Amino acid sequence: MEKITALVLATAVVIAWIAPPARGEVRSFQWKVEYIYWAPDCVETVVIGINGQYPGPTIRATAGDTIRVELENGMSTEGLAIHWHGIRQIGTPFYDGVPFASQCPINPGETFTYEFVVDRPGTYFYHGHYGLQRSAGLYGSLIVDPVPSDAVPFTYDGELSIVLNDWWHRSIYSQETGLSQLGSAFRFVGEPQSLLIEGRGRYNCSLIPAAPSSPPLSGDVMSCNSSRPQCAMHALAVRPGLTYRLRIASVASLSSLNFLLEGHNMTLVEADGHYVTPVEISNLDIYSGETYSVLVTANQDPSRSYWAAVNVRGRRPATPTGLAILSYGDGSSSSAPPSTPSPQSPAWDDFAYSVAQARRVVSRPGFQIPLPERANVRLMLLSTQNRIDGKIKWAINNVSYVPRATPVIAAFQFNLTTAYDLAASPPRDFSRGYKIRNAPPNPSAIQGSGVYTFRHNDVVDVVLQNSNTLVPNNSEIHPWHLHGHDFWVLGYGSGIYRPHRHASTLNFVNPPMRNTVAVFPYGWTYLRFRADNPGVWAFHCHIESHFHMGMGVMFAEGVDRLPRIPAQALGCGYTKALFTAP
Ligand SMILES: *[C@@H]1O[C@H](CO)[C@@H](O)[C@H](O)[C@H]1NC(C)=O
Ligand SMILES: *[C@@H]1O[C@H](CO)[C@@H](O)[C@H](O)[C@H]1NC(C)=O
Ligand SMILES: *[C@@H]1O[C@H](CO)[C@@H](O)[C@H](O)[C@H]1NC(C)=O
Ligand SMILES: *[C@@H]1O[C@H](CO)[C@@H](O)[C@H](O)[C@H]1NC(C)=O
Ligand SMILES: *[C@@H]1O[C@H](CO)[C@@H](O)[C@H](O)[C@H]1NC(C)=O
Ligand SMILES: *[C@@H]1O[C@H](CO)[C@@H](O)[C@H](O)[C@H]1NC(C)=O
Ligand SMILES: [Cu+2]
């Protein structure tokens, strides 16, 4: 009772919370999120659309602007939250869009207003963060331009932007059910049916009837019609001789991807909103959660078109190449699909190639954010695949993340100490003595909310340590994404990270800053960040099914200085008590 009274008093302060002033303009959007019929790869299915559109509308803003999105949940059967990927939410940790971490889910029929400042130019995106909603198509681009006085260290004549995705015909309900089955009843989502470029792909329609029986005789009957405008190939239109900045993001649910342009090299210039030292590449590895800008010069024969292509990497591919058209000018011959075969990427299991390319991404002189000289906290995060109560889960240091009904940020603000589980504080090293190449012999991992706490301004080193899955001789790529921060990537290596052997191999000279980084099979990735953004931040594998199966942790930092959480973000779990009459 005493606790509830204290919470009711706190609500009065919640209402008084006022957004910090911003330099730029306020850009307002009204979005209604609903399931819609759509045919991304010519096969009609249901996707989550925004205002009747898939992918969602592009947000374009200038650094310093405030984005204000009134988001209505028009889906009558599930909750909703949208994460603004790459935006650090400085001062607004409750608008990060992670249900049960930063807010309560938005209920069917309710409207929630996100309002936050985009403080730094770069290529970003947004996506659903509730259940598997990103896999159902809830995503779009978010591009932040520099203010005119800000130096950009390269020039270009035009801009193009694409989001890459992998696509399934099975609904996310069916996918999720399969992931939750006991023992051998487990059904993995499997390889995608299609790869999409800017929401468009092409399934082989001779495998599925062109028109569904009408009315459908039983359940959903899929139809495939390659003439549907929704699956018309995306075209990147260029003019001869000009140079373009091509922005590329991956929101893939499972696949590591490799992007290439037939007959054209690319110069990598930006990664996750940070300028990098230019590197010439003939194809680009891109992991889910990453963004890049590349410069492309239209210097080939302009009388024909070229393929823009995306292939699966890191898992044995069972999905055809995803294609778009790079067309010169708008003459008809130059915009028809090329007659050449679709371009090939490096072998899917050439991991050495991927590691080498990742190491070539370094910060750009003049645009480096100084690296703190040393960390005062080091966290080893060992990821393992385990069985818990008969179900296949991913665990980090023996804890498989499962959201609990109270947003962790609210649990800290209102001292609801039983509403979350601390992982380990201070963090201990779980990787010592662990044999990463042996399939784990079903150790006793548990489920919990996996919260690690840091003091304000701690400098934290994180070593992400990969291991074998439950399948013998198998280890996978995991792209890890940190909310609320960018981190410096200090290095990648194979085997177990050993300080005495590997510390000297780390890059303290020009480490890139990013918000997403890959951990390679049987390898480790070393990163550093400063806990300077009071909030509760998810840190997780960006593979949709992996996070859903527990591959993530929560970083609660500077919780003694959290800004007041607005009432609209509360109302679930123990925070229901905030709204109970005394
Ligand atoms: C489409 O599928 C049919 C039937 O399996 C096959 O004969 C054909 O070669 C496929 N087409 C393509 C472009 O893969
Ligand atoms: C396929 O789509 C085109 C374009 O929308 C339409 O004209 C045609 O009737 C469709 N075919 C079938 C069999 O539904
Ligand atoms: C493309 O870049 C690669 C290096 O990644 C280089 O070997 C190759 O010669 C370049 N091709 C062209 C056409 O410039
Ligand atoms: C928070 O709750 C714990 C136990 O419920 C209690 O011991 C502690 O004093 C509380 N702290 C504050 C600041 O209220
Ligand atoms: C997980 O916990 C179990 C039981 O506490 C322990 O035996 C095992 O060594 C732990 N595994 C790891 C990887 O820490
Ligand atoms: C695992 O891979 C190694 C090296 O490729 C091989 O020698 C070994 O037989 C494999 N073990 C199993 C269980 O497949
Ligand atoms: Cu993963």
Side-chain angles (χ1 to χ4, degrees):
M1 269 304 142
E2 268 167 26
K3 191 179 245 173
I4 289 176
T5 312
L7 295 178
V8 170
L9 288 175
T11 336
V13 191
V14 171
I15 291 158
W17 186 84
I18 290 163
R23 281 181 291 150
E25 286 177 39
V26 177
R27 295 182 193 267
S28 298
F29 303 87
Q30 285 184 323
W31 288 357
K32 183 170 187 180
V33 174
E34 280 175 305
Y35 277 96
I36 55 175
Y37 284 110
W38 205 270
D41 64 350
C42 305
V43 176
E44 187 177 78
T45 177
V46 291
V47 311
I48 301 180
I50 298 177
N51 296 346
Q53 189 181 328
Y54 164 79
T58 293
I59 293 183
R60 186 112 202 181
T62 301
D65 285 353
T66 296
I67 307 294
R68 188 170 191 280
V69 179
E70 273 177 52
L71 188 70
E72 180 186 347
N73 182 0
M75 300 178 292
S76 47
T77 56
E78 59 198 282
L80 170 68
I82 287 188
H83 170 57
W84 316 91
H85 185 111
I87 307 302
R88 290 167 296 170
Q89 300 291 355
I90 294 165
T92 49
F94 33 74
Y95 291 147
D96 191 45
V98 182
F100 308 115
S102 61
Q103 68 171 96
C104 294
I106 308 161
N107 279 320
E110 287 189 341
T111 296
F112 183 97
T113 303
Y114 288 98
E115 188 165 342
F116 54 89
V117 175
V118 288
D119 62 306
R120 205 193 41 213
T123 307
Y124 308 106
F125 55 92
Y126 61 84
H127 63 82
H129 217 295
Y130 181 92
L132 305 183
Q133 285 174 350
R134 194 180 85 232
S135 299
L138 182 52
Y139 66 85
S141 292
L142 198 177
I143 295 171
V144 183
D145 292 310
V147 293
S149 59
D150 258 6
V152 177
F154 45 86
T155 56
Y156 48 95
D157 306 300
E159 246 191 76
L160 300 161
S161 171
I162 50 175
V163 178
L164 310 178
N165 200 20
D166 44 7
W167 191 252
W168 283 257
H169 297 154
R170 261 172 82 192
S171 76
I172 58 168
Y173 293 117
S174 166
Q175 293 182 34
E176 197 279 333
T177 305
L179 296 175
S180 311
Q181 298 304 302
L182 285 171
S184 58
F186 175 84
R187 288 193 220 169
F188 191 56
V189 298
E191 296 306 310
Q193 276 72 63
S194 299
L195 300 177
L196 309 183
I197 298 181
E198 203 53 11
R200 290 153 183 271
R202 182 148 299 208
Y203 193 68
N204 181 349
C205 276
S206 52
L207 306 173
I208 289 182
S213 56
S214 178
L217 296 175
S218 64
D220 282 339
V221 180
M222 286 191 298
S223 67
C224 190
N225 180 347
S226 56
S227 311
R228 283 188 170 117
Q230 287 167 355
C231 63
M233 236 176 243
H234 184 69
L236 298 164
V238 295
R239 301 219 163 249
L242 300 189
T243 295
Y244 293 82
R245 176 181 187 168
L246 172 60
R247 299 176 186 264
I248 309 167
S250 173
V251 300
S253 297
L254 174 67
S255 316
S256 300
L257 299 173
N258 181 268
F259 175 81
L260 67 171
L261 292 168
E262 180 189 11
H264 295 73
N265 272 354
M266 305 174 274
T267 306
L268 191 60
V269 290
E270 181 216 339
D272 295 359
H274 292 271
Y275 300 126
V276 298
T277 295
V279 197
E280 189 181 12
I281 50 174
S282 43
N283 60 75
L284 173 71
D285 278 335
I286 179 166
Y287 304 96
S288 179
E290 292 187 336
T291 68
Y292 290 101
S293 285
V294 296
L295 299 180
V296 183
T297 299
N299 57 8
Q300 297 298 303
D301 174 6
S303 68
R304 54 158 290 197
S305 62
Y306 301 83
W307 290 120
V310 59
N311 290 299
V312 168
R313 300 263 290 143
R315 305 177 62 89
R316 187 181 294 280
T319 312
T321 302
L323 295 169
I325 302 169
L326 176 68
S327 73
Y328 276 64
D330 18 50
S332 55
S333 66
S334 63
S335 55
S339 50
T340 43
S342 59
Q344 297 304 299
S345 293
W348 69 271
D349 56 354
D350 188 350
F351 297 109
Y353 180 93
S354 297
V355 177
Q357 188 174 89
R359 287 194 173 124
R360 292 174 77 192
V361 179
V362 295
S363 65
R364 184 159 187 146
F367 292 87
Q368 287 160 320
I369 298 176
L371 174 76
E373 253 178 56
R374 57 181 55 80
N376 62 311
V377 179
R378 199 177 80 206
L379 181 55
M380 301 287 300
L381 294 180
L382 169 67
S383 66
T384 54
Q385 203 179 40
N386 305 76
R387 281 183 210 282
I388 301 179
D389 300 334
K391 295 186 180 179
I392 299 177
K393 296 285 176 188
W394 291 96
I396 305 303
N397 291 353
N398 257 348
V399 178
S400 182
Y401 172 73
V402 63
R404 293 186 51 193
T406 306
V408 179
I409 191 171
F412 278 97
Q413 181 140 100
F414 302 113
N415 197 28
L416 305 167
T417 49
T418 57
Y420 60 90
D421 318 293
L422 285 177
S425 219
R428 49 179 263 258
D429 182 352
F430 275 78
S431 66
R432 211 156 278 163
Y434 189 82
K435 303 235 178 337
I436 61 161
R437 284 178 191 273
N438 294 358
N442 193 12
S444 50
I446 54 162
Q447 294 195 78
S449 36
V451 176
Y452 291 85
T453 58
F454 303 110
R455 284 165 308 172
H456 186 60
N457 274 333
D458 271 349
V459 176
V460 184
D461 277 6
V462 179
V463 184
L464 287 161
Q465 178 67 58
N466 208 343
S467 71
N468 208 109
T469 64
L470 288 167
V471 177
N473 263 7
N474 181 54
S475 183
E476 299 179 357
I477 295 174
H478 303 286
W480 277 75
H481 171 59
L482 178 58
H483 292 225
H485 294 277
D486 299 320
F487 46 72
W488 291 270
V489 180
L490 299 185
Y492 306 86
S494 69
I496 284 221
Y497 178 80
R498 306 264 180 232
H500 61 277
R501 196 178 309 159
H502 298 123
S504 61
T505 70
L506 300 179
N507 174 12
F508 295 101
V509 178
N510 54 5
M513 252 196 142
R514 314 200 56 152
N515 61 56
T516 304
V517 71
V519 184
F520 294 99
Y522 298 114
W524 52 263
T525 296
Y526 196 117
L527 49 97
R528 176 173 293 177
F529 74 98
R530 191 189 285 282
D532 56 1
N533 191 9
V536 172
W537 306 109
F539 182 43
H540 63 97
C541 176
H542 211 259
I543 292 177
E544 192 88 314
S545 50
H546 289 187
F547 181 48
H548 193 70
M549 292 161 74
M551 199 169 207
V553 295
M554 295 287 142
F555 288 167
E557 66 187 59
V559 292
D560 49 332
R561 7 183 128 210
L562 289 175
R564 279 286 160 192
I565 304 169
Q568 62 165 347
L570 303 172
C572 57
Y574 292 174
T575 69
K576 278 186 210 145
L578 292 171
F579 305 99
T580 307

